[in-house]
Amino acid sequence: MAAKEKLYKDLPRPKLNRAQIEEIYRRLSVERPSPKTELDYVNPYTLVVAVALSAQATDVGVNRATKDLFVIADTPEKMLALGEDTVRDYIKTIGLYKTKAKNVIKLSQLLVDEYDSKVPDTREDLIRLPGVGRKTANVVLHEIFGQPTMAVDTHIFRVSNRTGMAPGKDVLEVELNLLRVTPESYLIGAHHWVLLHGRYVCKARTPECYACPIQDICQYKKKTPAP
């Protein structure tokens, strides 16, 4: 048995069949025909920085902090010229801003030293960058390079488990399960559809089940009644 097949075989089984999962994506795609990240960026480099800053922070908060920063520092060289202290001042409204400022400078230096100031297009290279983990790498690969990745955050983790479409006890299981069950025609866009559904409808504390376009398919038992 191939390693990939064995890996998928060991994953939790979906609670929905393929037709139901495809219908979920069809409905979500109708709701948002052109899904995209809500982080503001001007080029691949600024997206890497923005996603790295978004850990334990909201997209709105990151956009507010980077609005002026990206005007004067949209390349690794310009960011390095600013220096860590100045970067820190720009992003001080974001959680963990001191550590993140250090990482922004370090990843910028690594891009200059080893990647000719260009953002690499492989997960292995991306996660070498300080402050960039698997989720950040997957966002960049999906958004910039059009690769069918699943960047599992809290929203995607929640929706995948609640609906039963791609259960998993950790983010890697959910990521692999989503890649396994998502129809090929929906792979580009799936990350955003599931994320945005979790952010605006299938919320953590009080999901808006009464306004959910997939509530009749979803396996979540404690559905929220209409107010």
Side-chain angles (χ1 to χ4, degrees):
M1 180 183 295
K4 187 175 182 180
E5 291 177 349
K6 183 179 186 302
L7 185 62
Y8 283 166
K9 182 176 182 295
D10 294 337
L11 292 173
R13 303 301 302 175
K15 298 178 182 178
L16 304 177
N17 59 42
R18 290 190 177 276
Q20 290 173 311
I21 293 172
E22 184 164 7
E23 179 62 12
I24 283 178
Y25 281 116
R26 188 195 68 77
R27 295 184 192 180
L28 294 182
S29 68
V30 170
E31 291 277 306
R32 294 183 173 87
S34 302
K36 61 181 181 178
T37 180
E38 293 187 320
L39 286 169
D40 294 335
Y41 67 97
V42 295
N43 55 32
Y45 168 70
T46 53
L47 178 63
V48 171
V49 173
V51 182
L53 294 177
S54 70
Q56 299 184 43
T58 66
D59 288 359
V60 172
V62 172
N63 291 340
R64 188 180 301 118
T66 59
K67 179 181 179 181
D68 295 328
L69 175 62
F70 288 162
V71 171
I72 61 173
D74 60 356
T75 68
E77 291 85 354
K78 291 178 182 177
M79 196 71 75
L80 290 171
L82 285 183
E84 183 182 323
D85 290 346
T86 302
V87 172
R88 187 170 61 238
D89 288 341
Y90 272 98
I91 67 170
K92 62 185 178 182
T93 56
I94 302 174
L96 306 175
Y97 70 96
K98 292 181 180 179
T99 298
K100 291 177 180 179
K102 290 181 185 293
N103 286 335
V104 167
I105 293 299
K106 288 179 179 178
L107 74 82
S108 299
Q109 190 67 61
L110 188 59
L111 287 173
V112 170
D113 292 344
E114 299 190 25
Y115 296 98
D116 194 27
S117 299
K118 295 181 175 61
V119 174
D121 61 358
T122 69
R123 184 185 292 115
E124 292 73 22
D125 284 325
L126 283 167
I127 61 177
R128 290 188 62 218
L129 303 176
V132 174
R134 186 181 180 93
K135 187 194 80 171
T136 299
N138 282 344
V139 170
V140 174
L141 292 174
H142 189 281
E143 186 75 13
I144 299 299
F145 300 106
Q147 296 186 24
T149 59
M150 294 288 183
V152 179
D153 66 354
T154 57
H155 300 301
I156 293 179
F157 186 82
R158 179 172 64 255
V159 172
S160 299
N161 276 288
R162 273 184 179 170
T163 60
M165 64 187 294
K169 65 178 182 296
D170 55 44
V171 293
L172 182 57
E173 282 194 349
V174 168
E175 176 188 333
L176 295 174
N177 241 342
L178 281 171
L179 289 173
R180 175 175 67 166
V181 304
T182 300
E184 186 174 354
S185 59
Y186 291 109
L187 276 173
I188 300 301
H191 157 73
H192 293 309
W193 283 316
V194 180
L195 185 155
L196 294 172
H197 183 67
R199 178 173 292 168
Y200 295 112
V201 180
C202 193
K203 302 174 183 178
R205 294 187 178 180
T206 310
E208 297 180 2
C209 303
Y210 49 87
C212 176
I214 61 170
Q215 60 86 21
D216 58 316
I217 303 174
C218 174
Q219 297 297 298
Y220 185 55
K221 296 181 179 179
K222 300 178 181 179
K223 289 187 171 64
T224 307

